[in-house]
Amino acid sequence: MAKAAATTGVAIALGVCGARVAFADEITVFAATSMTTALAEIAEDFETATGHDLVMSFAGSSALARQVQQGAPADIFISANPGWMDVLEVDGLVEKGTRFDLLGNSMVLIAAGADAAPVDIEPGMDLAGLLGDGRLAMALVDAVPAGIYGKASLEALGLWDGIAAQVAQADNVRAALAFVATGEAPYGIVYATDAVADGRVSVVGTFPAETHPPIIYPVADLANRDIPAEAAFLEYLRGAQARAAFERQGFTVLAQ
């Protein structure tokens, strides 16, 4: 059975037995950490259907984009925001005509425990009082998309200045989720899809969509090589089976 885990620069081979094509290829996919659970399922299904092998590497979009800039041998990149894909496109590292918007998401406030009390997320809410002496777990607020979106929401609501000193920043959104799940932080800001992945946390509120830029996950073939398996995987991501896997994890599917 295929397995996937969040890593920083560590690729995990996903291999399954199934129908094999005559000329199987290996494809390396760099994907935002928030996609770990959904892509583990999709990778296994794709391998079974096509016979190709996928190597998945999950990390913050910023870290992955920088690795691509430094020559990392990735074939496909899925970013948690358009900005990092834009950077690679400007650098000439994206195959022309292959980029499309794949998914959408939302930002939520989570709390430790499976039955935490709901919170009204609105301007003037007493987030500092809610935290008390505790910390607010977030992905890196100036680099990782989940942190950037979360900070934007807090700023839009007039809350950032009051709690900035209490933010515990993590390398990626799953690390921020783990801070809350293990009780190291009482609250955190993550994607809605990450909250679904861990039963040790509760979603206590959803940030209004208008408080942050639209959350869009673009995907593209990188311009380091060109093999049919890359196009096959991009097409598979648009298909019904991938759509169902993404929707089970709470993503909004944008690709047609």
Side-chain angles (χ1 to χ4, degrees):
M1 179 176 291
K3 297 181 180 179
T7 66
T8 301
V10 178
I12 298 173
L14 298 178
V16 297
C17 295
R20 315 304 291 177
V21 294
F23 299 101
D25 284 311
E26 183 177 272
I27 315 162
T28 299
V29 180
F30 278 15
T33 304
S34 51
M35 303 185 71
T36 300
T37 305
L39 278 184
E41 178 182 343
I42 288 167
E44 184 170 343
D45 292 340
F46 174 77
E47 290 177 324
T48 300
T50 67
H52 298 304
D53 293 319
L54 292 179
V55 176
M56 310 293 295
S57 185
F58 298 102
S61 298
S62 55
L64 294 173
R66 292 188 183 107
Q67 289 175 37
V68 173
Q69 288 178 310
Q70 293 163 9
D75 297 308
I76 302 292
F77 178 46
I78 312 177
S79 175
N81 80 345
W84 285 109
M85 188 69 80
D86 292 344
V87 168
L88 297 187
E89 203 160 27
V90 168
D91 288 347
L93 297 173
V94 172
E95 191 73 35
K96 291 182 180 179
T98 65
R99 174 177 175 173
F100 61 91
D101 291 337
L102 178 61
L103 302 170
N105 212 331
S106 57
M107 300 304 301
V108 297
L109 182 68
I110 59 171
D115 56 356
V119 174
D120 291 327
I121 297 180
E122 57 189 3
M125 67 176 288
D126 187 13
L127 183 56
L130 194 66
L131 292 171
D133 295 330
R135 310 277 277 179
L136 179 67
M138 297 178 66
L140 294 170
V141 299
D142 294 321
V144 175
I148 294 170
Y149 292 129
K151 181 181 178 181
S153 285
L154 293 175
E155 289 179 329
L157 294 168
L159 304 175
W160 175 254
D161 290 342
I163 58 86
Q166 290 178 265
V167 173
Q169 297 190 50
D171 286 342
N172 58 66
V173 69
R174 285 295 174 100
L177 174 69
F179 283 164
V180 181
T182 58
E184 295 179 59
Y187 291 92
I189 299 177
V190 301
Y191 294 120
T193 53
D194 293 298
V196 171
D198 198 316
R200 296 173 295 174
V201 304
S202 302
V203 174
V204 297
T206 300
F207 288 90
E210 64 270 17
T211 63
H212 56 74
I215 302 174
I216 296 172
Y217 289 65
V219 57
D221 181 6
L222 297 175
N224 54 353
R225 65 172 180 160
D226 187 16
I227 57 174
E230 295 169 324
F233 182 63
L234 292 179
E235 185 63 26
Y236 194 86
L237 291 176
R238 295 177 183 267
Q241 201 156 353
R243 173 183 288 271
F246 285 132
E247 290 178 343
R248 278 193 291 274
Q249 295 303 316
F251 287 103
T252 301
V253 179
L254 304 178
Q256 300 298 318

